[in-house]
Amino acid sequence: MTTVEDLMTLLADCEDAWDMPDRSGDPVDILDHDRQCAELLRQQFPDDEELQVAGLVHDIGHVLVPGDDAGHGRHGANAVRGLLGPRVARLVELHVTAKRYLAATDAVHTATLSESSQRTLIAQGGPMTSEEIATFESGPDFTAALALRRADDAGKVIGLTVHSLDSWQPVIARVAARVG
């Protein structure tokens, strides 16, 4: 991914693309889910455009390498690192790690995971061990990664009206300009 236009095209390709090939996962397509996630982050963290953009692109790995649920965060991170920088890439990768963290530390959160998220948690390594928890908590983006994960879990509402994909282009361009 080398230009904002390339990323916008990939995001547009997420319309009518699903996290699970048989559509047994999230109830909305990847583009709708990612826009909902980004919108939640924009409302909660209006001054953190990198976090918002990470929410917008966090599931593109599902389109880049279909069927690799365990690796979709890594695939997405690798795709955007050069364009959007190391922090956005790290947050994209950490959204899966944060799910494992919350599964180990927050029983209420875990009980509210969708059936699909509960199923994929196993493929993603299951709840963290105490050593993994300590390592994750000491990371520089621990709080932001948890915020992204919580928005990820909440951004699955059928029919929710959110801003268009085009409205995100200036935000993506600003984040990309800080990298270049």
Side-chain angles (χ1 to χ4, degrees), residues 40-73:
L40 288 166
L41 292 166
R42 180 169 23 202
Q43 291 168 9
Q44 296 167 4
F45 302 91
D47 297 328
D48 192 345
E49 289 186 333
E50 289 179 338
L51 177 57
Q52 297 165 27
V53 169
L56 185 65
V57 302
H58 79 279
D59 271 351
I60 62 171
H62 285 297
V63 173
L64 296 170
V65 183
D68 185 4
D69 193 68
H72 80 277

Side-chain angles (χ1 to χ4, degrees), residues 2-175:
T2 59
T3 68
V4 171
E5 291 74 25
D6 290 342
L7 180 56
M8 293 299 291
T9 298
L10 176 60
L11 286 166
D13 289 345
C14 292
E15 184 174 19
D16 204 32
W18 301 81
D19 61 332
M20 301 295 282
D22 64 359
R23 295 188 181 194
S24 65
D26 291 342
V28 294
D29 68 29
I30 293 171
L31 177 59
D32 197 20
H33 168 63
D34 284 355
R35 288 184 309 132
Q36 288 184 35
C37 184
E39 192 67 38
L40 288 166
L41 292 166
R42 180 169 23 202
Q43 291 168 9
Q44 296 167 4
F45 302 91
D47 297 328
D48 192 345
E49 289 186 333
E50 289 179 338
L51 177 57
Q52 297 165 27
V53 169
L56 185 65
V57 302
H58 79 279
D59 271 351
I60 62 171
H62 285 297
V63 173
L64 296 170
V65 183
D68 185 4
D69 193 68
H72 80 277
R74 183 179 67 255
H75 300 306
N78 289 340
V80 301
R81 184 172 283 108
L83 179 63
L84 301 176
R87 181 169 183 251
V88 173
R90 187 169 45 254
L91 289 170
V92 169
E93 188 161 6
L94 287 176
H95 88 276
V96 174
T97 307
K99 176 180 172 181
R100 295 184 59 229
Y101 173 84
L102 288 170
T105 62
D106 187 342
V108 172
H109 178 83
T110 303
T112 64
L113 287 175
S114 67
E115 272 187 49
S116 174
S117 286
Q118 291 175 14
R119 196 172 53 240
T120 59
L121 175 62
I122 296 163
Q124 295 164 339
M128 285 185 171
T129 66
S130 56
E131 288 177 5
E132 290 172 320
I133 289 169
T135 299
F136 182 60
E137 289 175 339
S138 68
D141 287 310
F142 168 71
T143 303
L146 288 183
L148 174 54
R149 181 71 232 174
R150 291 185 190 283
D152 183 10
D153 292 329
K156 301 176 182 183
V157 179
I158 296 171
L160 183 67
T161 301
V162 293
H163 289 91
S164 69
L165 176 59
D166 289 339
S167 74
W168 285 97
Q169 187 164 1
V171 181
I172 294 169
R174 284 192 298 272
V175 170

